[in-house]
Amino acid sequence: MRADDHKINSTCDTNTDEMMQENNLQKPNIYNKYLPFYDSIKRQGVSKFDEIRENLSRSIQLNELQPGFSFWSNALQEFITLYGFYFTKTNHLKLVNFYLSVLSITDLQYTSVHICCELLSELLRKTRLITRDDLVIDWHTLYRWAKLIHSNHDKAHALVTLPEFVLHIVDERKAHPLWWFQPRGSYRLTEQNITDFVNCIKDYVFISIFNKEHGQKAIEACKYLSMLRPELIVPPVIEKLFSSIENITEPHRFTAIVDCLTYLARQLVRQTSSYSEGQAYVLPLLMSVLPGIDLNDPKKIYTTLKFLNTVLSLITCVDCSSAVQIRDDLTEIEKQVCLSTKLFENFISTFLDRVFQMIEHLSSDMFDTTVITDEVNIDYRDIELLLESILRNITGQCSSKIYWFVQEKLTNFLSGAYFSPKVKGFVSAVVRALLHGNPVEALKCVLPKTCESIEKIMNHADTTELFINGKEDLELIWYLTLFSELVRARGDTLLIYKPMIMSIFNRSIHIVHKYSYEILANAARDLLESLSYVYPIEYRLTIENLDEPFIDFLPIRVWGQPVDFDRFQMQYHIPNVDEIDFACEFVKAFLYSELTLLNEKILKLSNQERSRSLSFVYNIALGYFHMIPRIESEQLADLVLSVVPYNSKYQFQTSTYMRESKFNENLRMRLVNDIGKLLDLLVKNHLDDVASMKKALEILSLSSIYYGVSKKDNAVRYRYFNSNKKIFKNQMCDERRALRFLTIETMALQIEDFILSNCEPMTHIDEQVVFRLFELSLHQYIEIRRIAQSELFSVLNHYAFSSNMIADRIVEVLKTANETDHDQVKGCLYILLGNDSFFLPTKISWSKMEKLWPSIASVNHSEKRSITNLIQRISHKIEKLFVTKEINQNANEESTRAAITLWCAIESKELETGNKLHEQQNLANTQSYNNLMEQLNSLITSNTTWKQQQVAMSMMFHLFQKYIPMSCSCIRTCVDLLVHDNVELREYAIKSIAAICRLQKPPRIYVEKPLGEILQHNGQSSVTIINDAYHPGDRMDNAWLTIDGYIPPTTQSEWEQTCFLDKSFHGYYTWPKMIKYSINKRERYSQNNMPEQAAILYNRFIDKNFVKRMTQFMILDHDNVDGQTEFDTIRFAAFKGLFRNFGLAFIDNFMEQLYMLIHEKTKEKQNGSHRVAAEIVAGIIRGSKYWTIEMLDELWKNLTVFLNEVCSNLNSNTCSCWGSCFKYAMENVDPRRMYRPIQFLQSLINNPAVINISSVTSLWYIIQQLDVFKWRVPSIWCYINDHVKKLLHHSFTAIRDRMAIVLSISLIFDLTLFHGESIRQPNIDQTIDEIHEQLHRAIKSYEEKPLTNVSDQIVEIDPEVREALNFIDTVILIHTKIFFFCSQPIKNSIIRIFPTLCNIESIVAHDDVVKTNLAISRLNVGMAYLNVNFVEALIKQLEHVYERSTWHARQVAIDFVQTMIFSNLFNARSYANRIHDFVLKSLSDEQYEVRIIASTTLSGLYQCGYIQVTDEDLKYFRIMSKTNYFTKINTKKVISTNDIIKRHAGVLGLCAIVLSNPYDIPMYVPDVLMLLCEHPHDPHLIQKSIKQCLSDFRHTHHDSWHEHREKFTDDQLVILTDVLISHTYYA
């Protein structure tokens, strides 16, 4: 060892001593401190972390990314999950720097990048642990990878962002100012801000609760709002619940509100400084929802039980009424709550009665345990789990008095009769609840009687029927079910009943009735788990004594409250010696007897007897295997080559007795041997006994991998836990203060996670198990294969790199199988297909892939449809899951230094040996990769079927490597397949050519210059940046990036020196200090300077006939979609690569084909021909990006002529592909670099050669593709804008429609920016104002002249009026499209033109399409986000419309109000009075239609809470409705029209009040209805409105009328009934 090595090694050992001091650790997992084996965790945590960092360091120092670095990085991730940040800050920083250094490796594969990013994300998650001074990260490394792998995900808005708002508040008040910016106090959200926010959004959220599509999001939003202001959210929801109970018409309202209250439960039941009134509602709510336990509505019962479970888990069931007399510190609310708790016993009694009734009903023969409705499929297993949880909450969190009451009621029910096995789950829930509350008393009360009943039945039973024929005995099943649940009690409480329990098993174990022995077998497992497992014994909300007196503790004050970790006082069941002895005695008594029976009489037993015996063996193994150590056997050493171990030396143990065997042998080994022999006999003699085979295979698998917890059960438990956590979690609470029962469950899961973390290396015994399962996975019987495969996947998933073990065997079967081995082949393919968690083809090493993948592609049975389908599924799964593995694994100097710092430098001798091994491994991987590629290539080119060729080609394509040159034979095959007869192979071929061209592309030449130098070169002397602030938009310093004023260079030197910045974000917001860009020069392959691999492409594409054949095939390759040709981006990429790499070499061949394509005569091939031509042209233009000026001039000399011919013959079928051509050719490219195609597109704007209408519209579609340049072609958009405005009155609709779209697109970069401006872009306000002025003239022209003139019986359309109508139609469409294309559509001009859009309603009434567009245009304005200024301006315009417009305009204006308010509830609050006055004025409009819409609008505003129903409104409408419409003129009684309008307005106002309450009857509604009933003889219009109102009222309240009628007096009911059934109203 070198001296410096010794020095480093000596320093790395001191970290262990440092870590032993717990105060030095960063952030250990706080839950571990409260686990019963914490001392063991502390010891193993230090050792395990040292082991991990040692092996991570060694992996990188010895250049091994796979499997060493990957394996130990996963180990670190698991370590952090289990132990937290159980390391010092020094080691924390070393880990961060270590993974950052690995990312600096330039040729790192994405699998390793993903690992690094995941670990960095985890290590940097706790930001307060590391300060800015501790860590500096070079962002360039992360940015480089982000550019390669980044995928953009848009955030959802509205209700989805509410959690972020809550977290924003938390961050403002709790964020540690180490990394995150903390706003100044004056800029933070105030309490009033939060209140205003909640008030603004709550009404919208309440309405959305009933939305069937987004209701769940609304409920979650309600929860977050209730965290902020419970006093504003909880009471309204409770009120809605009380109004919805027993609403038969709309039961979904009940379920929606109950579901919402479930999420609000914690805010409902807990006392806070701002809200404690919710507790007063708890008992009334519990009582009121009990009718929801209705078996006729599964969803309703599920929602009700979920609510009850949530509330009862947060409260204590204790009668606290006596506290009112004892304590003098109670608030009025607390007194009320204490008195209400008297109802607990009544509630529990009623609830249990309903549960018993439900069980009796389900037990009947007429009821099925699974109910499916049209909307929901609810398994009653979910209801059983909820019921169990509810009963456990009651018995676990109640006073002694209530517990005795509950126990008596439950035991009376259990002993009263026996029920059908169908209700086993419900019975289990009852028994488990008793055991949870007080296991000692529950066992004393129930277990002896149950055992006595079983003994009695057994004494009188016919043994032949029970033990041989398997006759069903329902009474026996009932008591066995009770017995099986009772032995789940805590282990120490079962000890006194040991003789009784053993006796029952002895008497009953040989019952062969399937359901009976399954119950007993489960009982055996549960008994062993109860006796020998470590688990929490209670999950109470509080540890306080819940019994009276309540002097020092008041239970209601802990409802819903969190508990500090330091006050948890966890209680675990830790098995004592007697319990362990009981468990061992049980195993010896029953496991050995069953094994003896199976060994001695296996062939004499019936299938039922054999299945019974194996069920007991299986369940005993499940219950006791956690105490049985691994089988001692030699470790497999050749699973994978690695310079570091791939298993941990430290295996976690939860108990000390696990090491001390209580048996003379290892029971795992015994089962492996005995079950192995049994399987041999079953396969040979009893293939029909699938049930026994299944159990035997499961036992075999358990013997190898099971240690007390299964991954599947653990995942289910986590899902349930996370579901509850989602409901209960309150982000406003400190993370160290959580609900006690949730924290206990977290600790229980933590125990399971520690058990599952043990994964020892595979041994030879495990290997035997794998091969046994593998052989049976190829069995001729499908069911046996399926079961064996499932167990095989479990075992292979358990052991790292075990997949390599069976790969060779699979290859052997696939290669040697003949026609009679169809089942074996199928079995192998199903193994390869795997399941959701296991997929072998991507898990194995390169050496195994070299053999396996070609075997899959060349399966001899591929002509069979089932085999073919399997191979296709495997191939598709490889495409989806395969990520290229490292072939040549190389660390760099930076990562090696970080690795040494993480641990220490390894010895020079070991380093030398490791480097040799590394070189050998790289060579072996390279050889395997090349061999694999050649074999797949050989399959493609040999005499195989098309299906086999497709699979092989798919595999080869996904194996393309950047760092390993592709062989010439593979490239040649890919090129040849371009003209293959099979379309799928041609598609793979074009993908391959695109990839090959990318791999072969010559490198770009980059330069880096200071910003000032570049600006100076472009005539800019300064940068508009003040104090590093952003000034986005158009500035003087970024004008040189636009096409405006650009003078193309005339020499190649100028062309190369021009700084082109392709991405549109460059310079828009700000500038970097240094700019790195690629110069306009790139090497290209020439005939004299070309590698062999590139020459293959050259030789083929220089051949005119080959190019012709290829293009002809491409025409036919894609079917049209809805009559439109689909532009193929992959072919575009291939052509781009060819012209980028080879320049003008192929241009003549392709230009010849291009003319042939656009002159195609066959009609069926014309669209396809244009598509291919467009793809080629796009590839040529994009591929010419770095060509010389001379080459570009030559290209565009030919291309311009060709494109002009194309554009003169465009049609609606071909324009889309040519639009895509220019889009893909120009996007993400500096417009100055693309000035030639831009000039061509400009030439199309005024192209006199095009006279065909279809061609004109198509040309404009192509011109609009200029939007890919975004803000950098402003002068062109200004020119287009000016030009298009002159064509808005065009006579052809298609052209006008396209003009509207193009004009709208020209305005999309007119943005209002913070500290910035858009001064060069077309201006929306200017454009719309100009159009508005022309629109006024068009309207005037229309109004002054008739549309048609009749002369001498000839109808002539006035051209000026026609032109005016055309202009109006186009303006409407422009208004609509602006909202579609522009990100900021609302401008002052849009508001100004709005009245005119209302006024032209009558003009466009003749055209349904235009009328619809007009409605949409106004709807867009109403649904847009309007800031306060725009709301103010828009309301003024509405008032203007009402004062000066036609009744059509007034009608649409008042209709618009509702849309605007609903979409801007937050910003429009302050204008409620103005809107109120406006609507009331509209109610008195002279036009009937306006009044009707005003009434509807008013009703909607009342209903959403924007306007409140006030006494003033009621008085106003009452007076108006009583207006006398008779007047005297010259002593004659005359009807006054104005007075009728007033009377009608009052009636409509009253109708609006009634209809704003469709689901309830507020106190003022009965009087309003009586007022409406006073108008039986009014004029027809008034009667019509009242009829409609009463009809709607009757419809919405009919089914709940038995409840609603209570709000009326007897006299009112008589009047209302008379009116509702009167022929006057319902004739």
Side-chain angles (χ1 to χ4, degrees), residues 1113-1290:
F1113 273 122
M1114 286 181 174
I1115 294 172
L1116 305 173
D1117 279 355
H1118 287 284
D1119 293 330
N1120 292 352
V1121 179
D1122 298 328
Q1124 297 293 321
T1125 53
E1126 291 289 310
F1127 186 91
D1128 192 316
T1129 56
I1130 296 175
R1131 292 210 287 250
F1132 154 71
F1135 293 130
K1136 177 184 75 172
L1138 287 171
F1139 288 98
R1140 176 191 59 223
N1141 295 357
F1142 295 96
L1144 286 166
F1146 313 133
I1147 195 68
D1148 291 338
N1149 290 351
F1150 278 95
M1151 286 304 299
E1152 180 179 334
Q1153 290 303 311
L1154 286 173
Y1155 279 103
M1156 292 178 64
L1157 289 169
I1158 65 170
H1159 292 143
E1160 176 62 53
K1161 300 300 184 184
T1162 306
K1163 186 175 180 180
E1164 291 77 10
K1165 297 170 67 175
Q1166 287 176 353
N1167 292 346
S1169 298
H1170 273 268
R1171 182 196 67 234
V1172 176
E1175 291 159 358
I1176 294 172
V1177 170
I1180 293 173
I1181 296 174
R1182 192 56 177 265
S1184 67
K1185 182 177 174 181
Y1186 292 101
W1187 286 8
T1188 65
I1189 287 184
E1190 183 181 352
M1191 295 170 67
L1192 287 168
D1193 288 341
E1194 181 181 347
L1195 169 66
W1196 281 95
K1197 181 180 178 182
N1198 296 318
L1199 208 54
T1200 303
V1201 177
F1202 170 77
L1203 290 174
N1204 277 322
E1205 185 171 348
V1206 169
C1207 292
S1208 63
N1209 294 286
L1210 284 175
N1211 57 54
S1212 59
N1213 292 327
T1214 59
C1215 73
S1216 63
C1217 61
W1218 284 106
S1220 298
C1221 165
F1222 282 94
K1223 173 189 173 184
Y1224 288 106
M1226 300 185 302
E1227 70 177 352
N1228 292 321
V1229 182
D1230 193 314
R1232 297 169 299 150
R1233 196 199 297 273
M1234 285 284 162
Y1235 74 90
R1236 290 178 177 86
I1238 290 174
Q1239 286 177 343
F1240 171 76
L1241 292 179
Q1242 277 187 285
S1243 70
L1244 300 179
I1245 296 175
N1246 252 333
N1247 191 343
V1250 179
I1251 58 174
N1252 181 278
I1253 298 303
S1254 179
S1255 295
V1256 172
T1257 56
S1258 299
L1259 286 183
W1260 280 104
Y1261 175 75
I1262 293 174
I1263 292 169
Q1264 79 183 50
Q1265 305 308 317
L1266 286 167
D1267 67 346
V1268 298
F1269 295 116
K1270 302 189 182 301
W1271 61 279
R1272 297 193 291 181
V1273 288
S1275 59
I1276 297 177
W1277 283 122
C1278 289
Y1279 176 73
I1280 291 174
N1281 184 281
D1282 291 338
H1283 183 82
V1284 167
K1285 283 187 291 188
K1286 302 172 183 176
L1287 301 174
L1288 300 183
H1289 60 274
H1290 201 282

Side-chain angles (χ1 to χ4, degrees), residues 780-795:
Q780 60 180 329
Y781 282 111
I782 295 176
E783 190 62 24
I784 294 175
R785 285 204 308 266
R786 186 186 61 79
I787 297 166
Q789 287 161 9
S790 176
E791 298 305 320
L792 177 64
F793 298 152
S794 298
V795 177

Side-chain angles (χ1 to χ4, degrees), residues 926-961:
T926 303
Q927 186 63 44
S928 294
Y929 171 77
N930 287 330
N931 290 343
L932 174 57
M933 293 290 285
E934 288 299 330
Q935 290 184 63
L936 292 173
N937 183 63
S938 176
L939 284 172
I940 298 168
T941 56
S942 61
N943 188 23
T944 53
T945 66
W946 282 358
K947 292 290 185 183
Q948 290 173 319
Q949 290 174 343
Q950 289 169 19
V951 173
M953 187 63 198
S954 170
M955 290 177 173
M956 189 171 79
F957 171 72
H958 286 89
L959 287 169
F960 286 0
Q961 266 278 340

Side-chain angles (χ1 to χ4, degrees), residues 92 139 151 226 372 407 415 518 531 789 839 891 951 1087 1114 1116 1195 1288 1326 1556 1581:
H92 191 173
W139 62 269
S151 59
S226 69
I372 301 176
Q407 177 176 301
S415 59
E518 283 180 349
L531 292 169
Q789 287 161 9
F839 186 57
V951 173
Q1087 197 167 4
M1114 286 181 174
L1116 305 173
L1195 169 66
L1288 300 183
Q1326 180 181 344
S1556 66
L1581 291 181

